[in-house]
Amino acid sequence: MKPRVILVTGCDSRQFPLARCLIASVAAHAAADGIDLGFIDGGLGAADRAHLATLPIAVRPIAWDFDFPTRAVFEATAPGVATLFGKLRMRRLFPGYDVYLWLDADTWVQDWTAIPWMAAEAPRHELLIGLEFDRAYFLGHLDWKMWRHFGGWYGEAFGPEIAAALDRKPMINTGVYAMAADTPLWDLWEWLYRQAMQRQADHRRGPLFMSEQTALNVAVHHHRMRWASLPAACNWLCHLAVPMWDPTAGRLVEPSPPHDPIRILHLSGWSKDRAHRIPGRDGRPYRSRLFHPLEVEPDPTEA
């Protein structure tokens, strides 16, 4: 029997324009393939909710159900952070599915075939997810300083012993993943996340915002839960390497040979806040915000 699959995203009102791009990139394909859509409301405005009401998408609110030192600050100033908690509660928010796919609101799908493929593979591997690790990333911002930075995150959230155990382990990125409903990873991930949030008391510290990601890394790397790695093309992290434009094919491709097509683009980190100068396979530079629907123009500085 074909598994029941739901593709979920979520955010607050600040990121909703990006979420609209994501939904536009998948809605028709999902309907054709019988994949349901879900949205976790982490603080949307009235107009945002009205837009979602016009779409075939199930919407669920999210709120923390446990106390931690910075909860009141986040609820007052950054309610969208609760969406990160929703990522590991999808089974409870949208019960009845066999496979849960998550895509961050700042992603969009260029090649839909990645989604049914992930959905089909998830039951066998329990978790399909990508690493912040690719040959192209080492040409940009990824170097040994990043691992030292990650070590600080683990130390603050989980203590020095786990930080040492995960030293220089490649970071798993939770922006795109597929999980089987019956994997025990869900409960371990949530337990570790609660621990991390309760250990950290300064709402200004970056590791707090990464706690759902570091918790999953501890579950996989330290507790050795089952998983399989996605290719970077299924979660292309633009803050680590901008993609290449193939004007002949009319699509974004990996910047390293043989320039395979990017399947899911992730406007990670600062990359969502600017126009990018991107290389072309024809040797010419181009410019694009990399939003969906994609608009790419020759770089005017080269005219």
Side-chain angles (χ1 to χ4, degrees), residues 47-206:
D48 306 330
R49 295 187 179 113
H51 175 75
L52 290 177
T54 67
L55 303 174
I57 188 167
V59 181
R60 301 287 186 272
I62 186 64
W64 289 287
D65 61 1
F66 66 100
D67 290 326
F68 52 93
T70 59
R71 177 175 173 175
V73 176
F74 283 146
E75 287 178 335
T77 63
V81 178
T83 308
L84 304 177
F85 181 47
K87 293 169 71 168
L88 45 93
R89 302 269 291 184
M90 286 194 290
R91 289 185 308 168
R92 293 180 174 89
L93 294 172
F94 306 96
Y97 291 91
D98 303 302
V99 175
Y100 292 83
L101 288 110
W102 172 268
L103 273 71
D104 274 1
D106 57 359
T107 67
W108 61 272
V109 178
Q110 179 177 245
D111 182 352
W112 171 256
T113 61
I115 300 299
W117 169 74
M118 290 169 60
E121 289 291 327
R124 186 159 64 94
H125 299 286
E126 297 188 11
L127 169 67
L128 287 178
I129 198 166
L131 300 167
E132 296 185 2
F133 196 89
D134 184 79
R135 56 203 170 128
Y137 296 167
F138 283 95
L139 302 177
H141 300 277
L142 188 62
D143 59 22
W144 64 272
K145 296 176 185 176
M146 293 283 289
W147 272 275
R148 186 172 64 182
H149 197 56
F150 296 156
W153 293 357
Y154 291 125
E156 290 190 37
F158 302 101
E161 182 179 346
I162 286 182
L166 270 68
D167 184 41
R168 299 187 185 180
K169 294 285 188 182
M171 179 64 77
I172 295 168
N173 185 277
T174 56
V176 175
Y177 58 88
M179 281 180 71
D182 58 357
T183 174
L185 177 57
W186 290 105
D187 293 331
L188 176 60
W189 185 12
E190 183 172 338
W191 180 73
L192 289 166
Y193 174 79
R194 290 170 180 261
Q195 278 194 328
M197 297 300 284
Q198 289 164 346
R199 287 182 63 109
Q200 301 172 84
D202 188 347
H203 70 277
R204 298 164 297 182
R205 298 286 296 141

Side-chain angles (χ1 to χ4, degrees), residues 130-290:
L131 300 167
E132 296 185 2
F133 196 89
D134 184 79
R135 56 203 170 128
Y137 296 167
F138 283 95
L139 302 177
H141 300 277
L142 188 62
D143 59 22
W144 64 272
K145 296 176 185 176
M146 293 283 289
W147 272 275
R148 186 172 64 182
H149 197 56
F150 296 156
W153 293 357
Y154 291 125
E156 290 190 37
F158 302 101
E161 182 179 346
I162 286 182
L166 270 68
D167 184 41
R168 299 187 185 180
K169 294 285 188 182
M171 179 64 77
I172 295 168
N173 185 277
T174 56
V176 175
Y177 58 88
M179 281 180 71
D182 58 357
T183 174
L185 177 57
W186 290 105
D187 293 331
L188 176 60
W189 185 12
E190 183 172 338
W191 180 73
L192 289 166
Y193 174 79
R194 290 170 180 261
Q195 278 194 328
M197 297 300 284
Q198 289 164 346
R199 287 182 63 109
Q200 301 172 84
D202 188 347
H203 70 277
R204 298 164 297 182
R205 298 286 296 141
L208 262 171
F209 296 91
M210 302 301 298
S211 292
E212 48 83 25
Q213 180 162 298
T214 54
L216 185 70
N217 276 264
V218 173
V220 168
H221 290 312
H222 189 63
H223 293 274
R224 302 189 180 280
M225 300 300 289
R226 287 187 62 194
W227 72 298
S229 182
L230 290 172
C234 288
N235 183 12
W236 190 265
L237 301 171
C238 292
H239 80 287
L240 293 178
V242 296
M244 176 177 280
W245 173 244
D246 185 335
T248 301
R251 65 189 178 190
L252 297 168
V253 298
E254 295 181 11
S256 300
H259 307 298
D260 290 331
I262 289 172
R263 295 168 178 254
I264 303 173
L265 193 80
H266 191 167
L267 292 164
S268 48
W270 49 261
S271 68
K272 63 179 69 62
D273 300 323
R274 66 188 66 180
H276 296 271
R277 190 174 191 265
I278 59 177
R281 285 206 68 183
D282 57 358
R284 300 174 61 192
Y286 292 84
R287 292 195 71 83
S288 177
R289 291 297 304 274
L290 299 177

